[in-house]
Amino acid sequence: ILSLLVCVVGIVNAQLMAVTERCREIGTMKCLGALDRFILRLFVLEAGMQGLAGAGMGALSGAFFSLINAWLRFGTAAVGSVSMANLLISIGIATGVGCLLSLLGVFYPALVAARMQPVEAMRVEQ
């Protein structure tokens, strides 16, 4: 649970930095008429795709390396006894949890970006 908490804090930090770096873009979009929900949706979609890709690659590489570890420690009998259905379920659960954590971690930074005033966002110097 502690590592998942650290993961969420890291995602929040990365998304807050993304909001800070894109202040001018957010201000421009808001000046052109973008609603708060559009900005919110933009950041949630971005984090969802990043979370899905990162968690999917992490789950696949974790499964791959755990199979290699089982093969090196216990031989081919251990790898042959692994159920592919259980392996796919574990990969799916890990990917789902990673994507969910990514969506939870982006909620606060997305609200900050959506509530930003256009004039204040345009004034920010990089």
Side-chain angles (χ1 to χ4, degrees):
I1 291 176
L2 185 62
S3 66
L4 294 177
L5 180 65
V6 169
C7 174
V8 171
V9 169
I11 291 169
V12 169
N13 185 29
Q15 290 298 324
L16 279 172
M17 291 308 299
V19 167
T20 303
E21 290 173 355
R22 292 201 265 171
C23 275
R24 284 185 154 301
E25 295 172 29
I26 294 167
T28 302
M29 286 190 287
K30 291 191 82 130
C31 284
L32 292 174
L35 300 175
D36 289 351
R37 66 178 175 213
F38 176 78
I39 305 293
L40 186 70
R41 204 177 293 155
L42 182 73
F43 279 96
V44 168
L45 281 173
E46 177 184 334
M49 286 190 283
Q50 286 177 350
L52 184 65
M57 289 189 311
L60 286 174
S61 64
F64 176 72
F65 287 118
S66 68
L67 287 175
I68 287 178
N69 186 30
W71 177 64
L72 289 174
R73 293 181 72 188
F74 305 112
T76 57
V79 176
S81 66
V82 172
S83 170
M84 288 308 272
N86 288 341
L87 185 65
L88 291 176
I89 288 171
S90 295
I91 290 172
I93 289 172
T95 303
V97 168
C99 195
L100 180 68
L101 289 176
S102 177
L103 291 175
L104 286 174
V106 77
F107 189 69
Y108 175 71
L111 281 176
V112 169
R115 292 181 180 164
M116 207 176 278
Q117 294 298 321
V119 176
E120 299 292 325
M122 295 294 284
R123 259 190 234 160
V124 172
E125 292 187 25
Q126 301 283 332

